[in-house]
Amino acid sequence: MELNFNELAGGAAIEKINTELQKVFENIKDPNTSETAKRKLNIVMTFTPDKHDNDVVIADIDVTTRLAPVMGVGTRFIVDVDSKGQIVAAEWGKQMKGQLSVDDVIEDEEPDSKEKPDSSSNVIDYQKIANK
């Protein structure tokens, strides 16, 4: 017996395999999935002989994949209690919303327009600088 798998179901079987293979390779290259997780391509052929004539057999061809799941994402929160005793939380990133960083207080390129601290005090009014 010689059957050509490429020609089964008018070529639909190999088309399904190629479609699922494409999904496997896309999943492998997806930066949001594990690089080392195993992926599977399953080809299941189910043969059902005709109830009244076993010379006739119906074949169902199912092609499925088991892909690596997309990895979760993480973040960090800072949690505290406010002045009213309420729990408050904010996402903690490189800079929390509403905070100034040292980079926010960049001196202008022109030397005469630089904001300088009062020479009689070591206190710099960053709010005044940030609101300019």
Side-chain angles (χ1 to χ4, degrees):
M1 169 177 50
E2 190 174 318
L3 294 174
N4 184 340
F5 201 81
N6 290 323
E7 296 174 1
L8 285 180
I14 199 68
E15 185 177 316
K16 289 180 89 167
I17 291 169
N18 287 335
T19 299
E20 295 303 309
L21 275 174
Q22 182 69 31
K23 290 178 186 177
V24 168
F25 295 130
E26 287 172 0
N27 184 258
I28 289 170
K29 294 304 285 181
D30 184 339
N32 297 310
T33 61
S34 169
E35 296 174 350
T36 57
K38 293 180 180 181
R39 282 77 167 174
K40 290 186 179 184
L41 180 114
N42 297 308
I43 303 167
V44 177
M45 294 182 69
T46 305
F47 300 93
T48 308
D50 186 81
K51 183 177 180 178
H52 302 290
D53 184 359
N54 66 359
D55 290 339
V56 176
V57 178
I58 297 170
D60 292 314
I61 304 168
D62 293 308
V63 181
T64 58
T65 53
R66 187 179 312 159
L67 304 175
V70 173
M71 294 183 291
V73 296
T75 190
R76 292 185 278 175
F77 288 90
I78 188 162
V79 181
D80 204 355
V81 178
D82 68 10
S83 61
K84 298 176 185 175
Q86 298 294 314
I87 302 293
V88 293
E91 185 174 19
W92 183 13
K94 290 184 179 181
Q95 181 178 349
M96 293 175 60
K97 292 179 183 173
Q99 278 189 329
L100 289 178
S101 72
V102 174
D103 294 335
D104 291 332
V105 189
I106 298 175
E107 297 179 354
D108 296 335
E109 293 178 20
E110 299 176 31
D112 294 340
S113 65
K114 292 181 183 178
E115 184 72 33
K116 296 180 182 176
D118 182 0
S119 60
S120 64
S121 169
N122 290 334
V123 176
I124 300 173
D125 188 348
Y126 287 108
Q127 289 183 347
K128 180 179 173 185
I129 295 170
N131 291 329
K132 281 188 167 187

